[in-house]
Amino acid sequence: MRRFRNRRAAGRLLATKLAHYAKQPDTIVLGLPRGGIPVAYEIARSLDLALDMCLVRKLGVPWHSELAMGAIAANGIMVLNSDIVASLSIAKAEIDAVAEVERRELKRREKLYRGDRPQPELQGKTLIIVDDGIATGSSLRAALAILRQQHPARIVVAVPVIPIETHALLRQEVDEIVCLLQPVPFFAIGAWYERFEQVPDEQVKALLQHAPAPVPNAIA
């Protein structure tokens, strides 16, 4: 299997698999910062679609931060995994402490990336959720939990590379998954890119500012 040259090249290739969504006024491309934004930008640009971001933070268990007990979004929506919370007897005070840390980081990123750009209206829209790749899918599931509360008409996940087993699990949770590679063995997301450097905050900000904006949320 050939590797992608970089994230933007992967986005252009993904756009060819999403051509049926081109110029659809009720379709929004949502990139997951930071690595998903360059991929999402190329999809939005190629298909003449609006671009925004899906800014969420995983809420990690206090003593095991990689294990998600929920997620929180920049608009204040919080979703908890009740099974994890109950099975580990996580106290409300512990949840609140983790949520406050992540809320501050969300506010920092929201201010930096969005600026004066308003929140988009997502209800009744087709959402194309984009990242630079998926490994376990924990961050994406956090995003999906948040987005479902805003009642979109359809959720599509578009990624350059994903393990076969993760693809099988996620396709039960969304309307459509579009991917380019399902390598075996998977190794890691970065293994399938020739260039996979960190995406700086300023690049995220610039790409969002130069892309077509969605219709603002009338409630915001």
Side-chain angles (χ1 to χ4, degrees):
M1 295 184 185
R2 294 187 61 183
R3 296 190 297 166
F4 307 111
R5 189 169 77 250
N6 53 35
R7 290 179 177 89
R8 295 183 72 164
R12 290 191 289 271
L13 288 172
L14 264 179
T16 66
K17 302 289 187 179
L18 294 160
H20 49 295
Y21 292 107
K23 299 185 178 181
Q24 297 297 312
D26 289 334
T27 298
I28 303 173
V29 179
L30 297 176
L32 272 64
R34 289 177 288 191
I37 296 296
V39 185
Y41 175 85
E42 292 299 330
I43 293 172
R45 186 185 65 83
S46 298
L47 302 183
D48 195 17
L49 295 173
L51 173 68
D52 209 274
M53 61 180 173
C54 181
L55 189 54
V56 300
R57 295 287 291 179
K58 179 177 67 178
L59 299 178
V61 171
W63 55 87
H64 185 14
S65 60
E66 291 304 308
L67 178 60
M69 62 178 176
I72 188 169
N75 59 8
I77 295 176
M78 184 166 68
V79 175
L80 292 177
N81 185 323
S82 56
D83 291 338
I84 293 290
V85 172
S87 65
L88 297 177
S89 301
I90 304 172
K92 182 179 182 300
E94 294 174 310
I95 296 171
D96 290 344
V98 173
E100 180 56 31
V101 171
E102 299 301 346
R103 190 176 290 112
R104 287 198 297 268
E105 176 60 14
L106 280 171
K107 287 182 179 179
R108 184 194 75 81
R109 292 192 180 199
E110 177 79 8
K111 182 177 180 180
L112 178 62
Y113 298 160
R114 187 175 296 283
D116 296 329
R117 186 182 175 113
Q119 290 276 358
E121 173 61 67
L122 303 183
Q123 183 173 344
K125 302 295 178 64
T126 293
L127 310 181
I128 302 177
I129 316 305
V130 180
D131 208 350
D132 53 13
I134 297 174
T136 64
S138 59
S139 296
L140 181 66
R141 284 192 178 91
L144 293 175
I146 296 297
L147 292 171
R148 287 191 194 100
Q149 293 203 5
Q150 300 183 61
H151 307 292
R154 182 175 175 83
I155 296 179
V156 179
V157 170
V159 290
V161 59
I162 183 174
I164 289 175
E165 58 273 18
T166 305
H167 182 281
L169 291 172
L170 284 175
R171 70 184 178 188
Q172 302 174 42
E173 302 181 25
V174 298
D175 296 290
E176 182 181 358
I177 296 184
V178 177
C179 65
L180 300 173
L181 294 180
Q182 296 182 63
V184 179
F186 178 75
F187 299 118
I189 294 170
W192 302 101
Y193 286 85
E194 294 175 10
R195 295 184 58 186
F196 196 67
E197 63 271 15
Q198 288 286 331
V199 178
D201 284 338
E202 287 305 314
Q203 183 182 359
V204 172
K205 180 179 177 181
L207 290 175
L208 289 170
Q209 287 179 340
H210 286 90
V215 175
N217 189 335
I219 301 174

